[in-house]
Amino acid sequence: DIQMTQSPSSLSASVGDRVTITCRASQSISSYLNWYQQKPGKAPKLLIYAASSLQSGVPSRFSGSGSGTDFTLTISSLQPEDFATYYCQQSYSTLRFTFGPGTKVDIK
Amino acid sequence: EVQLVESGGGLVKPGGSLRLSCAASGFTFSSYSMNWVRQAPGKGLEWVSSISSSSSYIYYADSVKGRFTISRDNAKNSLYLQMNSLRAEDTAVYYCARVAKGGWGDYWGQGTLVTVSS
């Protein structure tokens, strides 16, 4: 099974900061890596798919990069509505998905 | 507008059973694979099970294999999760999600809470 790790597990940042979250897969997953945002009490929301494609309606301050085993989600200028938990997910194993443990972004 | 609405959650005793449903609308349900994903209180997301568009391919997480059964009725635009032999560790919010062609969950329901407790 493919295992996913994320770092850091949490971070504190200020509005306007550039934020970077890293996700690593236990084996190469090509570009089959997706990012979700989840706010308390809400369903996850797809942000980035296929490592670097921005989901429709998602602000351009969100971007994704990477391939193989190492991936990055970047928020170029953190906004108040971006305080949330972020999860990566591999979809390399067809219909057998794995999520990372999550990164909580809160206010400094 | 794509909508996914889960139902069927509730309080059940350990060893009991529950059947979750997910009603889909706003898209051609029979063309998409579907997922169940759960989230225990205060924990992260855990993939539970997936089913392909025609039910030809079905997969389960090891944690639920042999106890849970995923199914779908394309005529009724509905996805199901039959949960048997429930344990306290199955307590979670259960989400259904549409699986886009590349394997990402592009639409999610609001979730239904399952509590397993005596």
Side-chain angles (χ1 to χ4, degrees):
Chain A
D1 291 359
I2 300 173
Q3 307 301 318
M4 308 299 294
T5 58
Q6 285 182 238
S7 61
S9 57
S10 64
L11 66 90
S12 296
S14 301
V15 172
D17 284 353
R18 182 181 182 87
V19 169
T20 299
I21 298 168
T22 297
C23 177
R24 177 165 289 174
S26 60
Q27 67 179 70
S28 176
I29 57 171
S30 184
S31 295
Y32 291 90
L33 191 283
N34 313 300
W35 290 97
Y36 301 85
Q37 177 194 67
Q38 188 181 34
K39 296 180 180 179
K42 300 294 187 182
K45 172 187 174 183
L46 179 66
L47 297 177
I48 302 285
Y49 62 91
S52 60
S53 296
L54 194 66
Q55 173 69 349
S56 176
V58 174
S60 59
R61 62 181 179 272
F62 291 93
S63 65
S65 64
S67 67
T69 60
D70 295 316
F71 302 87
T72 299
L73 173 69
T74 299
I75 309 171
S76 60
S77 177
L78 197 67
Q79 298 302 300
E81 60 268 30
D82 300 337
F83 292 97
T85 300
Y86 294 84
Y87 295 92
C88 62
Q89 174 236 335
Q90 66 81 17
S91 50
Y92 179 82
S93 301
T94 306
L95 293 183
R96 287 161 288 181
F97 307 124
T98 316
F99 290 92
T103 296
K104 185 177 181 180
V105 177
D106 60 22
I107 302 172
K108 182 184 285 184
Chain B
E1 179 194 5
V2 172
Q3 281 200 313
L4 297 169
V5 179
E6 301 94 337
S7 61
L11 176 63
V12 62
K13 289 182 168 54
S17 298
L18 214 52
R19 189 196 197 203
L20 305 184
S21 299
C22 172
S25 61
F27 67 102
T28 304
F29 181 72
S30 59
S31 296
Y32 288 86
S33 297
M34 298 292 294
N35 265 349
W36 286 101
V37 174
R38 69 184 180 184
Q39 186 169 38
K43 302 296 185 183
L45 301 172
E46 180 188 15
W47 168 74
V48 173
S49 182
S50 298
I51 185 168
S52 62
S53 57
S54 60
S55 305
S56 298
Y57 300 96
I58 288 175
Y59 299 98
Y60 298 98
D62 288 344
S63 57
V64 307
K65 200 172 296 182
R67 301 187 298 122
F68 290 11
T69 302
I70 191 172
S71 63
R72 64 190 297 161
D73 185 335
N74 287 343
K76 294 183 178 180
N77 291 339
S78 292
L79 174 72
Y80 305 103
L81 186 68
Q82 177 67 43
M83 304 185 295
N84 298 331
S85 303
L86 282 162
R87 306 166 180 167
E89 54 265 36
D90 296 318
T91 294
V93 174
Y94 285 73
Y95 298 99
C96 65
R98 188 179 85 166
V99 181
K101 300 306 180 193
W104 47 87
D106 58 354
Y107 288 93
W108 295 63
Q110 84 289 350
T112 187
L113 176 62
V114 172
T115 303
V116 184
S117 175
S118 55

